[in-house]
């Protein structure tokens, strides 16, 4: 009445394997699947149509209502139905844990996807809000930019004043190194900055102006003294040089006298001879 399905080698006959709960569970699952496959293969040719995707149960029901020899046997249908149902129950009993885990996993994934979707929408809304804020013209930003530039200029001026306060030490170093031109240039630049007309209303700079005037007078005195010594040969180098030349002239003035004396003595000796 039914076709026999070719048997596969049993799970136990595939080789000696260690007995463990995991292996036993896999064996039960495979047996449940094999039982369902065997039930499908045992269906008679008259009921092969139920395995097709386009199966029409109405036509089969009408054939089972036909009591003639052309009709289908209802008892036979119930037998195979119960057999298939039992095999499906066995599959469900063996795989219910996996089904539950799959359902829980799917539910968790669904929640994660929903949360991610909400986060993406939130980020999208924030980006649109930021874009509108960036494109919006704001007069306060221009005021802040102008104020920032003004404060930067003030900080630069204050730093310049702090550097000018160290000018006396720098000029003293230049004077010791005989760098009078560098000292004068530095002093002129700083005085031009401090005595600028924009800073005239600032009374706090009066002390710094007086200090620069004093440094100017002192540097002028030192430069005039150096020029005086250089013009009149009063520098230590010139004095040493002049002292050496004076000694040479004294030696030259003594030599002719000694030469004359020696010549006279020679002449008298010759006369006596």
């Amino acid at each position: 009445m039914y076709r026999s399905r070719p048997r596969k080698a049993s799970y136990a006959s595939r080789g000696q394997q260690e007995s463990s709960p995991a292996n036993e569970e896999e064996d039960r699952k495979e047996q449940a699947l094999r039982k369902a496959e065997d039930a499908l293969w045992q269906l008679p040719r008259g009921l092969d149509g139920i395995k097709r995707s386009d199966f029409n149960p109405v036509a089969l029901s009408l054939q089972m209502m036909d009591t003639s020899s052309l009709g289908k046997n209802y008892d036979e249908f119930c037998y195979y139905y119960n057999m298939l149902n039992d095999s499906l129950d066995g599959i469900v009993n063996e795989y219910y844990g996996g089904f539950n885990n799959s359902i829980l996993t799917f539910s968790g994934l669904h929640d994660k996807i929903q949360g991610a979707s909400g986060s993406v929408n939130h980020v999208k809304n924030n980006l649109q809000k930021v874009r509108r804020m960036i494109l919006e013209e704001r007069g306060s930003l221009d005021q802040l930019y102008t104020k920032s530039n003004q404060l930067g200029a003030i900080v630069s001026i204050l730093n310049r004043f702090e550097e000018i306060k160290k000018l006396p030490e720098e000029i003293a170093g230049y004077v010791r190194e005989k760098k009078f031109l560098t000292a004068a240039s530095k002093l002129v630049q700083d005085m031009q900055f401090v005595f600028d007309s924009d800073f005239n209303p600032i009374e706090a700079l009066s002390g710094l102006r007086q200090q620069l005037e004093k440094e100017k007078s002192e540097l002028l005195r030192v430069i005039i003294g150096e020029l005086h010594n250089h013009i009149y040969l009063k520098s230590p180098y010139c004095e040493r040089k002049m002292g050496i030349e004076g000694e040479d002239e004294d030696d030259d003035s003594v030599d002719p006298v000694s030469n004359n004396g020696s010549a006279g003595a020679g002449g008298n000796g010759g006369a006596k001879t």
Side-chain angles (χ1 to χ4, degrees):
M1 296 177 63
Y2 62 87
R3 294 166 296 173
S4 62
R5 176 180 178 272
R7 294 284 183 175
K8 295 183 180 180
S10 64
Y11 185 79
S13 63
R14 293 180 184 177
Q16 296 294 332
Q17 297 184 358
E18 297 181 358
S19 176
S20 63
N23 292 335
E24 292 178 359
E25 183 179 358
E26 292 296 329
D27 191 14
R28 290 196 303 270
K29 291 180 180 180
E30 186 175 354
Q31 289 178 0
L33 292 174
R34 189 182 301 114
K35 183 178 179 181
E37 292 177 357
D38 292 341
L40 288 175
W41 277 94
Q42 290 177 14
L43 289 175
R45 295 184 182 276
L47 297 177
D48 271 348
I50 64 175
K51 294 187 292 184
R52 297 169 55 183
S53 59
D54 58 348
F55 168 67
N56 186 6
V58 176
L60 180 61
S61 301
L62 294 175
Q63 291 177 359
M64 286 189 292
M65 294 176 64
D66 187 3
T67 58
S68 64
S69 60
L70 299 177
K72 304 293 183 180
N73 189 346
Y74 176 73
D75 294 334
E76 183 182 15
F77 172 79
C78 291
Y79 170 77
Y80 289 109
Y81 169 78
N82 293 330
M83 184 173 59
L84 288 173
N85 194 29
D86 293 339
S87 63
L88 291 177
D89 289 341
I91 293 175
V92 172
N93 291 334
E94 296 298 332
Y95 284 90
Y96 77 94
F99 291 155
N100 290 335
N101 293 334
S102 299
I103 294 173
L104 293 176
T105 303
F106 176 78
S107 178
L109 289 175
H110 184 267
D111 294 339
K112 293 293 184 182
I113 292 173
Q114 291 293 334
S117 177
S119 300
V120 170
N121 292 332
H122 181 67
V123 172
K124 180 181 178 181
N125 294 332
N126 289 337
L127 289 176
Q128 292 177 352
K129 183 178 179 180
V130 170
R131 183 174 181 272
R132 289 193 300 268
M133 293 175 62
I134 292 175
L135 296 178
E136 182 180 358
E137 295 183 359
R138 296 192 176 187
S140 59
L141 294 179
D142 295 336
Q143 295 177 1
L144 289 175
Y145 176 74
T146 304
K147 191 68 175 179
S148 176
N149 291 337
Q150 293 175 354
L151 293 176
I154 292 173
V155 171
S156 300
I157 292 173
L158 293 176
N159 291 335
R160 182 68 183 278
F161 285 143
E162 291 295 329
E163 294 176 357
I164 293 175
K165 290 180 180 180
K166 302 177 183 178
L167 182 64
E169 299 178 0
E170 296 180 5
I171 291 179
Y174 291 142
V175 170
R176 285 193 300 269
E177 298 175 359
K178 303 298 181 181
K179 297 180 179 180
F180 300 107
L181 180 60
T182 304
S185 300
K186 180 69 174 175
L187 180 60
V188 169
Q189 292 177 1
D190 291 344
M191 289 187 68
Q192 289 177 351
F193 180 77
V194 174
F195 284 90
D196 190 272
S197 59
D198 294 336
F199 300 142
N200 289 335
I202 303 177
E203 295 295 335
L205 297 178
S206 58
L208 186 58
R209 295 191 186 99
Q210 294 176 1
Q211 184 180 3
L212 291 178
E213 290 287 354
K214 183 179 179 181
E215 291 294 331
K216 175 183 176 182
S217 301
E218 183 65 22
L219 181 60
L220 180 61
R221 185 186 63 79
V222 173
I223 293 176
I224 291 175
E226 290 291 332
L227 289 174
H228 185 272
N229 293 334
H230 182 72
I231 293 173
Y232 293 99
L233 303 178
K234 290 185 178 182
S235 65
Y237 174 77
C238 293
E239 290 178 354
R240 289 195 301 271
K241 188 68 175 176
M242 293 298 295
I244 294 173
E245 291 179 355
E247 292 177 359
D248 293 340
E249 291 178 357
D250 292 340
D251 293 339
D252 293 340
S253 63
V254 173
D255 288 340
V257 176
S258 60
N259 290 334
N260 292 333
S262 60
N268 293 333
K272 290 179 181 180
T273 304

